[in-house]
Amino acid sequence: MKQHAEKEILLPTLLCDKKGNLNPAAIGFARKPIIDSNLTGHMMRKKKWNYWCVYGDEILFSATISHLDYASVCFVYFLEYETQRYFEKTITLPLGGKLKMPTQVLETVSFNNSEMSINITYIQNETHLVVSIPNFDGEVLRADLVIHHPPSDESLNVVIPWNRKTFQFTGKHHTLPTSGHVTIGNRRFIFSPQESFAVLDYGRGVWPRQATWNWGMASQLVRGRRIGLNLGGKWTDGTGMTENAVIVDGKMTKIHEDVLFEYDSEDYMQPWHVKSKFSKQVTLTFSPFFERVAISNAKLIKSEVHQMFGYYDGRILLENGETLVIQQMLGSIEEHIAKW
């Protein structure tokens, strides 16, 4: 038994019809960010986010701007691999203030208040990520990063249909060479485009009240090749679509099968096993070295994330028949349970 191949979308397409429901022509995947997420209506059910994660030589740095309809939630975190120093700062604004979330994956978006400013500016194949926080773990944080989008690179852009009224467009862009620096207090971390890679998780959709997902990802230089892994589970199961792909030097192999995540939810630091449901296309083990826990429990929103950072080992079969061997590849994997 195997899953059917998903439809590939080749022309610019609107996510929604005039009523704000899912446009059936948008169901599928695209190798370029050509889906316009023109979300309207569905009061209080729309979820929009731009999550960036940059893997540097010494630290991992992440910044997110999100709008959940009844609040905007913006957060920044960093992890120093060697010392495991970690800090996260979150700002929540009821009703979202004046935050406007764009409909195109690579459009400019920014959030600014006295406690945190995140500016994500896209211009000519580059994203400029500039973050400023006056009090970040008692220190001043400033980040100035230039993320390069190689024009010929493919990316994963998928529409997941639960039904006409609940659906999600996700854009996952991997192995984007990144330069610049992050300064925390008197320490400065330099990012070089040969070794540092950014991952974008762009989401726009209308979600059910409760959701659970797994997401595994990595973007690294492995033996001279830029490799990006994107694997998702639970939330896409049974929809006929997946967010599973591997991107090697900008060329994407779309994995049409569901992927199963096996892990110990009593102890997330135990190894995780990730494998394709029907074939041996994906066989990976993930060994964590750090657990990020983010729990929010406001009256309307409950969210619990266990995001593990660690290393992937295993094999993935590519479209061209090659077996890609993964060894000690730095990445992350997570379980997220949301009631929103």
Side-chain angles (χ1 to χ4, degrees), residues 168-189:
Q168 165 77 350
F169 168 60
T170 185
K172 300 290 204 308
H173 293 223
H174 279 271
T175 63
L176 305 173
T178 302
S179 58
H181 56 85
V182 173
T183 306
I184 300 169
N186 55 13
R187 298 194 64 197
R188 193 178 177 91
F189 302 98

mmCIF file of all heavy atoms in Angstrom, residues 168-189:
data_model
loop_
_atom_site.group_PDB
_atom_site.id
_atom_site.type_symbol
_atom_site.label_atom_id
_atom_site.label_comp_id
_atom_site.label_asym_id
_atom_site.label_seq_id
_atom_site.Cartn_x
_atom_site.Cartn_y
_atom_site.Cartn_z
ATOM 1 N N GLN A 168 -5.098 25.005 6.131
ATOM 2 C CA GLN A 168 -3.852 25.704 6.460
ATOM 3 C C GLN A 168 -2.935 25.724 5.258
ATOM 4 O O GLN A 168 -2.727 24.706 4.597
ATOM 5 C CB GLN A 168 -3.158 24.995 7.632
ATOM 6 C CG GLN A 168 -1.704 25.363 7.882
ATOM 7 C CD GLN A 168 -1.507 26.705 8.589
ATOM 8 O OE1 GLN A 168 -2.451 27.474 8.740
ATOM 9 N NE2 GLN A 168 -0.292 26.989 9.004
ATOM 10 N N PHE A 169 -2.380 26.904 4.976
ATOM 11 C CA PHE A 169 -1.272 27.000 4.014
ATOM 12 C C PHE A 169 0.018 27.124 4.801
ATOM 13 O O PHE A 169 0.138 27.981 5.678
ATOM 14 C CB PHE A 169 -1.435 28.205 3.093
ATOM 15 C CG PHE A 169 -0.184 28.506 2.300
ATOM 16 C CD1 PHE A 169 0.351 27.560 1.438
ATOM 17 C CD2 PHE A 169 0.488 29.705 2.448
ATOM 18 C CE1 PHE A 169 1.525 27.806 0.725
ATOM 19 C CE2 PHE A 169 1.662 29.969 1.749
ATOM 20 C CZ PHE A 169 2.171 29.008 0.883
ATOM 21 N N THR A 170 0.976 26.252 4.515
ATOM 22 C CA THR A 170 2.274 26.335 5.185
ATOM 23 C C THR A 170 3.380 26.478 4.141
ATOM 24 O O THR A 170 3.390 25.767 3.141
ATOM 25 C CB THR A 170 2.517 25.112 6.097
ATOM 26 O OG1 THR A 170 3.730 25.290 6.808
ATOM 27 C CG2 THR A 170 2.598 23.806 5.348
ATOM 28 N N GLY A 171 4.271 27.423 4.379
ATOM 29 C CA GLY A 171 5.465 27.589 3.546
ATOM 30 C C GLY A 171 6.686 27.276 4.400
ATOM 31 O O GLY A 171 6.895 27.914 5.438
ATOM 32 N N LYS A 172 7.449 26.267 4.005
ATOM 33 C CA LYS A 172 8.658 25.909 4.737
ATOM 34 C C LYS A 172 9.848 26.119 3.790
ATOM 35 O O LYS A 172 9.966 25.422 2.785
ATOM 36 C CB LYS A 172 8.616 24.439 5.221
ATOM 37 C CG LYS A 172 7.444 24.114 6.180
ATOM 38 C CD LYS A 172 7.629 24.756 7.520
ATOM 39 C CE LYS A 172 6.903 24.104 8.678
ATOM 40 N NZ LYS A 172 5.491 23.832 8.591
ATOM 41 N N HIS A 173 10.678 27.096 4.125
ATOM 42 C CA HIS A 173 11.817 27.453 3.269
ATOM 43 C C HIS A 173 13.095 27.129 4.030
ATOM 44 O O HIS A 173 13.277 27.570 5.165
ATOM 45 C CB HIS A 173 11.746 28.929 2.887
ATOM 46 C CG HIS A 173 10.583 29.248 1.999
ATOM 47 N ND1 HIS A 173 10.681 30.067 0.910
ATOM 48 C CD2 HIS A 173 9.287 28.829 2.026
ATOM 49 C CE1 HIS A 173 9.500 30.158 0.304
ATOM 50 N NE2 HIS A 173 8.637 29.413 0.976
ATOM 51 N N HIS A 174 13.961 26.351 3.398
ATOM 52 C CA HIS A 174 15.103 25.759 4.095
ATOM 53 C C HIS A 174 16.441 26.162 3.484
ATOM 54 O O HIS A 174 16.508 26.646 2.365
ATOM 55 C CB HIS A 174 14.975 24.230 4.052
ATOM 56 C CG HIS A 174 14.051 23.685 5.097
ATOM 57 N ND1 HIS A 174 14.478 23.335 6.354
ATOM 58 C CD2 HIS A 174 12.716 23.452 5.078
ATOM 59 C CE1 HIS A 174 13.443 22.887 7.062
ATOM 60 N NE2 HIS A 174 12.364 22.956 6.307
ATOM 61 N N THR A 175 17.474 25.911 4.246
ATOM 62 C CA THR A 175 18.896 26.075 3.849
ATOM 63 C C THR A 175 19.155 27.429 3.189
ATOM 64 O O THR A 175 19.784 27.524 2.146
ATOM 65 C CB THR A 175 19.376 24.927 2.924
ATOM 66 O OG1 THR A 175 18.641 24.927 1.700
ATOM 67 C CG2 THR A 175 19.267 23.581 3.603
ATOM 68 N N LEU A 176 18.671 28.478 3.843
ATOM 69 C CA LEU A 176 18.875 29.838 3.320
ATOM 70 C C LEU A 176 20.147 30.410 3.949
ATOM 71 O O LEU A 176 20.197 30.637 5.163
ATOM 72 C CB LEU A 176 17.666 30.711 3.659
ATOM 73 C CG LEU A 176 16.307 30.154 3.195
ATOM 74 C CD1 LEU A 176 15.165 30.998 3.731
ATOM 75 C CD2 LEU A 176 16.245 30.047 1.679
ATOM 76 N N PRO A 177 21.198 30.634 3.146
ATOM 77 C CA PRO A 177 22.478 31.116 3.691
ATOM 78 C C PRO A 177 22.304 32.462 4.404
ATOM 79 O O PRO A 177 21.640 33.367 3.886
ATOM 80 C CB PRO A 177 23.365 31.263 2.450
ATOM 81 C CG PRO A 177 22.740 30.379 1.415
ATOM 82 C CD PRO A 177 21.264 30.434 1.684
ATOM 83 N N THR A 178 22.887 32.581 5.590
ATOM 84 C CA THR A 178 22.648 33.748 6.455
ATOM 85 C C THR A 178 23.957 34.369 6.925
ATOM 86 O O THR A 178 24.866 33.667 7.368
ATOM 87 C CB THR A 178 21.813 33.324 7.678
ATOM 88 O OG1 THR A 178 20.577 32.760 7.203
ATOM 89 C CG2 THR A 178 21.502 34.491 8.587
ATOM 90 N N SER A 179 24.017 35.698 6.820
ATOM 91 C CA SER A 179 25.188 36.429 7.333
ATOM 92 C C SER A 179 24.719 37.495 8.311
ATOM 93 O O SER A 179 23.546 37.847 8.355
ATOM 94 C CB SER A 179 25.969 37.068 6.177
ATOM 95 O OG SER A 179 25.134 37.942 5.450
ATOM 96 N N GLY A 180 25.659 38.018 9.093
ATOM 97 C CA GLY A 180 25.326 39.080 10.044
ATOM 98 C C GLY A 180 25.735 38.708 11.450
ATOM 99 O O GLY A 180 26.645 37.909 11.649
ATOM 100 N N HIS A 181 25.063 39.307 12.433
ATOM 101 C CA HIS A 181 25.470 39.058 13.815
ATOM 102 C C HIS A 181 24.293 39.200 14.770
ATOM 103 O O HIS A 181 23.289 39.875 14.487
ATOM 104 C CB HIS A 181 26.586 40.024 14.236
ATOM 105 C CG HIS A 181 26.216 41.468 14.070
ATOM 106 N ND1 HIS A 181 25.517 42.158 15.028
ATOM 107 C CD2 HIS A 181 26.411 42.329 13.039
ATOM 108 C CE1 HIS A 181 25.308 43.399 14.606
ATOM 109 N NE2 HIS A 181 25.837 43.535 13.403
ATOM 110 N N VAL A 182 24.429 38.528 15.921
ATOM 111 C CA VAL A 182 23.513 38.683 17.050
ATOM 112 C C VAL A 182 24.378 39.088 18.239
ATOM 113 O O VAL A 182 25.371 38.430 18.553
ATOM 114 C CB VAL A 182 22.765 37.365 17.354
ATOM 115 C CG1 VAL A 182 21.958 37.502 18.640
ATOM 116 C CG2 VAL A 182 21.853 36.984 16.186
ATOM 117 N N THR A 183 24.013 40.209 18.881
ATOM 118 C CA THR A 183 24.756 40.679 20.049
ATOM 119 C C THR A 183 23.856 40.584 21.273
ATOM 120 O O THR A 183 22.728 41.084 21.257
ATOM 121 C CB THR A 183 25.208 42.141 19.841
ATOM 122 O OG1 THR A 183 25.931 42.222 18.619
ATOM 123 C CG2 THR A 183 26.106 42.606 20.971
ATOM 124 N N ILE A 184 24.347 39.921 22.315
ATOM 125 C CA ILE A 184 23.620 39.823 23.583
ATOM 126 C C ILE A 184 24.572 40.321 24.668
ATOM 127 O O ILE A 184 25.610 39.709 24.920
ATOM 128 C CB ILE A 184 23.177 38.376 23.868
ATOM 129 C CG1 ILE A 184 22.254 37.874 22.738
ATOM 130 C CG2 ILE A 184 22.467 38.281 25.210
ATOM 131 C CD1 ILE A 184 21.970 36.396 22.756
ATOM 132 N N GLY A 185 24.237 41.472 25.241
ATOM 133 C CA GLY A 185 25.157 42.085 26.215
ATOM 134 C C GLY A 185 26.466 42.407 25.525
ATOM 135 O O GLY A 185 26.484 43.072 24.490
ATOM 136 N N ASN A 186 27.584 41.930 26.079
ATOM 137 C CA ASN A 186 28.881 42.239 25.459
ATOM 138 C C ASN A 186 29.383 41.076 24.589
ATOM 139 O O ASN A 186 30.528 41.047 24.182
ATOM 140 C CB ASN A 186 29.929 42.583 26.539
ATOM 141 C CG ASN A 186 30.051 41.466 27.563
ATOM 142 O OD1 ASN A 186 29.558 40.364 27.343
ATOM 143 N ND2 ASN A 186 30.715 41.764 28.676
ATOM 144 N N ARG A 187 28.502 40.122 24.290
ATOM 145 C CA ARG A 187 28.908 38.995 23.444
ATOM 146 C C ARG A 187 28.318 39.137 22.053
ATOM 147 O O ARG A 187 27.138 39.455 21.891
ATOM 148 C CB ARG A 187 28.467 37.667 24.055
ATOM 149 C CG ARG A 187 29.131 37.424 25.420
ATOM 150 C CD ARG A 187 28.963 35.993 25.852
ATOM 151 N NE ARG A 187 29.643 35.069 24.943
ATOM 152 C CZ ARG A 187 29.378 33.766 24.906
ATOM 153 N NH1 ARG A 187 28.451 33.243 25.687
ATOM 154 N NH2 ARG A 187 30.036 32.978 24.078
ATOM 155 N N ARG A 188 29.154 38.894 21.076
ATOM 156 C CA ARG A 188 28.732 39.049 19.676
ATOM 157 C C ARG A 188 28.919 37.726 18.950
ATOM 158 O O ARG A 188 29.998 37.136 18.976
ATOM 159 C CB ARG A 188 29.599 40.141 19.034
ATOM 160 C CG ARG A 188 29.112 40.647 17.694
ATOM 161 C CD ARG A 188 30.088 41.748 17.270
ATOM 162 N NE ARG A 188 29.817 42.299 15.978
ATOM 163 C CZ ARG A 188 29.048 43.354 15.762
ATOM 164 N NH1 ARG A 188 28.456 43.962 16.786
ATOM 165 N NH2 ARG A 188 28.853 43.818 14.540
ATOM 166 N N PHE A 189 27.873 37.246 18.329
ATOM 167 C CA PHE A 189 27.916 35.977 17.592
ATOM 168 C C PHE A 189 27.821 36.284 16.096
ATOM 169 O O PHE A 189 26.871 36.939 15.660
ATOM 170 C CB PHE A 189 26.770 35.064 18.029
ATOM 171 C CG PHE A 189 26.784 34.763 19.503
ATOM 172 C CD1 PHE A 189 25.978 35.479 20.388
ATOM 173 C CD2 PHE A 189 27.603 33.768 20.024
ATOM 174 C CE1 PHE A 189 25.980 35.199 21.752
ATOM 175 C CE2 PHE A 189 27.616 33.476 21.390
ATOM 176 C CZ PHE A 189 26.810 34.194 22.253
#
